[in-house]
Amino acid sequence: MPRPVAVVTGASRGIGRAIALRLSSGYDIVAVARASGELDTLTREIEGRGGSCRPRVADVTDVAAVQGALGDVDADVLVNNAGVGALKPMLELTRDEWRRMVDVNFNALYDVTRIVLPRMMRRRSGHVVMIGSIAGRGAFVGGSCYAATKHAVSAFAECLMLEVRDEGVKVSVVNPGSVATHFSDRSSDESWKLAPEAVADAVASVLETPPNVLIHRLEVRTLTVPHKR
Ligand code: NAP
């Protein structure tokens, strides 16, 4: 009996890597990112655990690369995780940084989802999970573009959920607080942040609901933050 297939974007490190590892006990993984070496290391780790992983090197902002990477994949789960953040005051953001965040965090959702979703609709089953952020429902200094992209992710997820729920496809958005990854400056103490594995567990719990139950939005935070110590 073939196992279900889960596509994870941004699987080369951080939260996406943790999600791919966490899901690999129940799914065949298709791992997407630009860093082929890291994807190969992930593949070996998953295979070492008795799982299966197909590494697909692609930049999610390159529609031809995304088509080449995912055009032949019949996915049961899609985790749209790839993301970048340049967190600084608006006037210090370069035009390239602004456009890159919009392209990776938001515009890429169009191409990746559009390639994977039709097969889910035809099968009348599947689950699309976006990795948003608590920045997607609030504001902070330095987040003018990043938070805006995550607000957009949240709106996209809810609209898509309303469009495809009757076709048997679930759509969820998982919003983490601060996670200890390479995403942000690691010079400060990161010991208080969530481990990427905690976000992976949250994604797994969203996927494990009964067929007629949908957790559409989930926020996962650390219990304590530094200023409270
Ligand atoms: P990370 O450690 O920097 O990992 C980012 C991942 O995205 C990498 O695998 C990277 O792979 C991939 N990626 C970036 N640009 C890409 C592109 N153009 N094409 C394909 N893949 C690309 O960051 P992270 O913390 O795990 O972040 C993952 C997601 O969680 C993001 O959506 C982020 O907004 C969200 N998030 C993070 C935090 C946090 O505190 N860390 C909090 C809330 C939400 P390659 O470089 O190999 O392509």
Side-chain angles (χ1 to χ4, degrees):
M1 177 101 174
R3 298 198 317 165
V5 172
V7 172
V8 182
T9 70
S12 59
R13 60 176 187 271
I15 294 169
R17 185 178 205 281
I19 293 169
L21 282 167
R22 175 67 176 77
L23 298 186
S24 67
S25 58
Y27 294 84
D28 288 341
I29 302 297
V30 177
V32 180
R34 293 166 303 172
S36 60
E38 278 85 343
L39 289 182
D40 289 343
T41 305
L42 171 71
T43 300
R44 282 195 296 277
E45 192 167 340
I46 289 174
E47 289 174 351
R49 297 175 178 201
S52 140
C53 179
R54 282 176 273 170
R56 295 282 162 95
V57 178
D59 183 329
V60 292
T61 66
D62 176 345
V63 63
V66 172
Q67 179 65 46
L70 298 177
D72 64 342
V73 175
D74 197 359
D76 298 275
V77 166
L78 165 62
V79 184
N80 275 313
N81 163 78
V84 292
L87 308 181
K88 52 174 109 160
M90 189 265 161
L91 290 179
E92 292 175 25
L93 276 177
T94 66
R95 192 166 185 275
D96 283 350
E97 287 171 331
W98 177 284
R99 295 176 82 85
R100 179 132 203 90
M101 278 187 277
V102 175
D103 280 345
V104 178
N105 299 0
F106 185 56
N107 287 337
L109 297 180
Y110 177 84
D111 292 325
V112 175
T113 308
R114 206 161 187 278
I115 286 166
V116 173
L117 183 61
R119 287 192 180 91
M120 293 181 176
M121 305 271 280
R122 281 198 290 276
R123 216 178 40 237
R124 295 192 62 80
S125 77
H127 202 148
V128 180
V129 180
M130 322 291 170
I131 303 301
S133 169
I134 60 171
R137 65 171 190 80
F140 63 97
V141 172
S144 55
C145 183
Y146 178 71
T149 66
K150 292 300 184 177
H151 276 75
V153 169
S154 182
F156 170 64
E158 189 164 359
C159 294
L160 188 66
M161 180 271 288
L162 295 174
E163 286 178 21
V164 302
R165 60 193 301 185
D166 291 331
E167 310 300 322
V169 178
K170 298 181 180 183
V171 180
S172 304
V173 56
V174 172
N175 292 329
S178 294
V179 187
T181 67
H182 290 90
F183 187 74
S184 55
D185 177 20
R186 305 204 79 186
S187 55
S188 56
D189 175 22
E190 299 227 314
S191 58
W192 60 276
K193 293 186 176 181
L194 283 174
E197 291 75 17
V199 182
D201 285 342
V203 171
S205 71
V206 162
L207 294 175
E208 281 161 12
T209 51
N212 198 34
V213 176
L214 170 63
I215 298 174
H216 170 63
R217 191 182 310 275
L218 184 74
E219 191 167 291
V220 51
R221 291 171 175 261
T222 56
L223 189 58
T224 54
V225 294
H227 70 265
K228 289 187 177 167
R229 288 181 172 176

